[in-house]
Amino acid sequence: MKNQIVQNLNDPDALEMLFRKDKNAFIRDFDEATLGIDSDLIKFWQIRLKSTRQIYQQPVLKNGLAALAIISIITALLARLPLLMLKITPEDFYSRNLCILIFAGLITWFIIRNRITGLKNILLLALPIMVLAIFMNLLPGKLTDTTILAFIHAPIFMGFIFAMAYVSFDFKNTGKVSGFIRYGGELFIMTGLLAIAGGILSGMTIGMFDIIGMKIEQFYMKNVAIIGIAVLPVIAAWLIDLYPGITDRIAPVIARIFTPLVLIAAVIYLVALSLSGISLSANRDFLLIFNIMLLCVMAIIVFSLSELDKSDVRKLNVILLFLLAVVTLTIDLFALSAIITRLSEGFTPNRTVVLVSNILILVNLLLVLPDLFLAGFRGKSLDRMEKIINQYLLVYFIYSIVVIFIFPLIFDLT
């Protein structure tokens, strides 16, 4: 956004379009983009953004800490009370509910942050969460393949509800949806940093009590650590809002560093896979893990693309992403051929999920490859590809609904 602002400093209409496209990014980058520049248009925008910042930041600066405390307390109670009141093991409870608790806290934060009001809007966010929570806890106590798959795909389902809150239901706004993808990466980074700090603090605390002969490991993990895990993402979201520039420089650097590293790892893995002679179809668990790896690589590609400034696309970065997409596509074809071989033995939940997810990744890669090639080798724009990626999020959401809610009915009741 900063480079786009710089390029249009003398164009009032273009600046207005940029502001409407992504208000948060515009507000965040305007001061840095106009540093040392003096003009009537810049002064006008400084006055306008001053009042706009007050509106946007009021919930964060004035009411944010109180909202954070309330959300954290409610999340903590929900994370511990059921274990005290119900005869359920922590492993069973958290495998079914921890993901829901984490995202529910984030969604609540963005309802407050974005001032989402109206019974209809609140229900659109709350009802899917309630339905998922009820369904997950009604699944059989004995773990089955479909139950495990439901647990794995719950974050995809909840992530889409989170996206609804982030963009305030405005999915037609490409800038907002792209901003959500970028924000998701930044939130992941901030949560990771806080988790590292929390891990160090936990180790020190347990160690200090151990010196005086008090073994608090079990108590600490059950009553402090698990609550920390549940509320950490909300705290990370609060910090990002409180200090908007805190991850602006970290996220692009990580994206640029990880893209070549993941590319090298993927190429080495592809070569090793070709030379090893291992049959991918022989081990169902390996195929499932293989598929999760592909999804992670796809997520890295999408996040890296969201961190590229579309007004100043760096050719080398786009070429690296194109090569990574090609290698990922090749690996995906290996996995697809393996699962098709296993289908000769009949359909199972794992085989079906691996097949469908591989096809989804394959189609996604095929849709973005032409634009990556044209941007990297012909200098074309990435705007069309950005729209494709944003629209494809709905496909993954529908896929998660099928796996979570339909698969148990198909495979466990037949």
Side-chain angles (χ1 to χ4, degrees), residues 310 313 371-372 374-375 378-385:
K310 304 301 183 299
V313 175
D371 290 279
L372 277 174
L374 292 174
R378 298 287 186 271
K380 301 293 183 180
S381 170
L382 287 170
D383 290 341
R384 177 180 169 273
M385 186 182 62

Side-chain angles (χ1 to χ4, degrees), residues 319-366:
I319 291 175
L320 288 175
L321 286 173
F322 171 75
L323 294 175
L324 179 56
V326 170
V327 174
T328 306
L329 179 64
T330 307
I331 296 174
D332 187 44
L333 291 174
F334 270 94
L336 199 56
S337 63
I339 191 58
I340 290 174
T341 301
R342 283 190 65 87
L343 286 177
S344 61
E345 303 171 11
F347 282 86
T348 66
N350 284 340
R351 292 171 194 167
T352 308
V353 162
V354 173
L355 174 66
V356 174
S357 57
N358 267 271
I359 292 174
L360 291 179
I361 295 172
L362 179 68
V363 173
N364 202 346
L365 289 169
L366 289 175

Side-chain angles (χ1 to χ4, degrees), residues 232-303:
L232 212 57
V234 183
I235 296 173
W238 174 70
L239 286 173
I240 291 174
D241 280 343
L242 193 59
Y243 305 103
I246 197 168
T247 56
D248 286 353
R249 298 185 184 276
I250 299 175
V253 170
I254 289 179
R256 289 169 188 168
I257 291 174
F258 266 82
T259 299
L261 291 178
V262 173
L263 174 60
I264 293 169
V267 171
I268 293 173
Y269 182 76
L270 183 60
V271 172
L273 186 64
S274 304
L275 299 177
S276 65
I278 295 175
S279 174
L280 294 180
S281 60
N283 189 317
R284 68 170 190 169
D285 293 330
F286 177 76
L287 275 175
L288 191 59
I289 294 171
F290 194 78
N291 223 51
I292 293 173
M293 181 199 74
L294 284 174
L295 286 171
C296 290
V297 174
M298 191 68 215
I300 290 171
I301 292 174
V302 172
F303 173 64

Side-chain angles (χ1 to χ4, degrees), residues 75 93-107 129 132-133 136 150-159 162 226 229-230 233 404:
T75 302
F93 175 76
Y94 291 125
S95 62
R96 296 168 187 268
N97 298 286
L98 185 58
C99 164
I100 298 173
L101 288 173
I102 290 172
F103 276 100
L106 284 171
I107 291 165
I129 300 174
L132 179 64
M136 294 287 274
F151 296 164
I152 293 173
H153 288 80
I156 300 175
F157 180 92
M158 289 299 297
F162 176 33
I226 196 67
I229 292 171
I404 294 169

